[in-house]
Amino acid sequence: MSITPALTGFATGFSLILAIGAQNAFVLRQGLMKKHVFWLCLFCAASDAFLIAAGVAGFGALVEAMPSLPTVMALAGAAFLIIYGLMRFMAAWKGDYTMEIAGQSRGLWATLAIAAAFTWANPHVYLDTLGLIGAISTSYPDWPTRVTFGAGAVISSFVFFFSLGYGARFLAPVMQKPASWRVLDVIIGLVMWAIAAKLLLGVTNGTLH
């Protein structure tokens, strides 16, 4: 069997998650603190795997069957991103990064709960996995080839998240100063609000792209 579908799936999946988004920024921040990195990366990659498998299996029709779903998810996601972005701005304003520099963070379950919100409250995740990847997979008429394509996309998620989470520690020496954490939090806050604005704009215009 040709590996071309797997390579295509890998490239497609990787390109979709490569952009700096809310989920990626959170994984990066946890990676810098070296806390719960394995379980966080596993959760994010496994969530992607589930959605990609659903998309390849043909459940992308769910979005078409429930036209209000993208709007509801967009509003919920925007609200969460606005609040989390505000938290990052407040942290940057206070400038107390004793815990971060010491490598302390929230507990495992609290960390995974935040990751779940970033993952499952983001309508673009469904559009990318159930919609786009699911649609591309239909170009492969036989199931073995289609599954190979989906497997490539799933592998890309695992490679990306674990590379991001564990690769972040190479920046740790730079993050030993409160000023560095302050800059990071301001950037993350801006990213969160930019994504929230894009979601709300999509709701206003009736398009979620």
Side-chain angles (χ1 to χ4, degrees), residues 4-20 23-24 44-45 48-49 51-53 56 124-125 127-130 132-134 136-137 140 148-161:
T4 301
L7 295 176
T8 302
F10 185 94
T12 301
F14 204 85
S15 64
L16 290 175
I17 60 177
L18 186 59
I20 298 177
Q23 186 187 49
N24 298 347
C44 292
D48 267 9
L51 290 169
I52 289 170
V56 171
H124 292 288
V125 169
L127 295 175
D128 288 344
T129 54
L130 294 179
L132 184 57
I133 292 180
I136 294 175
S137 71
Y140 298 99
T148 302
F149 167 83
V154 167
I155 291 172
S156 73
S157 289
F158 277 87
V159 170
F160 176 83
F161 283 115

Side-chain angles (χ1 to χ4, degrees), residues 22-52:
Q23 186 187 49
N24 298 347
F26 184 65
V27 173
L28 174 63
R29 200 173 192 279
Q30 287 297 130
L32 288 168
M33 289 188 286
K34 304 178 184 179
K35 289 295 181 180
H36 315 306
V37 178
F38 175 81
W39 294 111
L40 176 60
C41 293
L42 180 62
F43 176 85
C44 292
S47 295
D48 267 9
F50 175 82
L51 290 169
I52 289 170

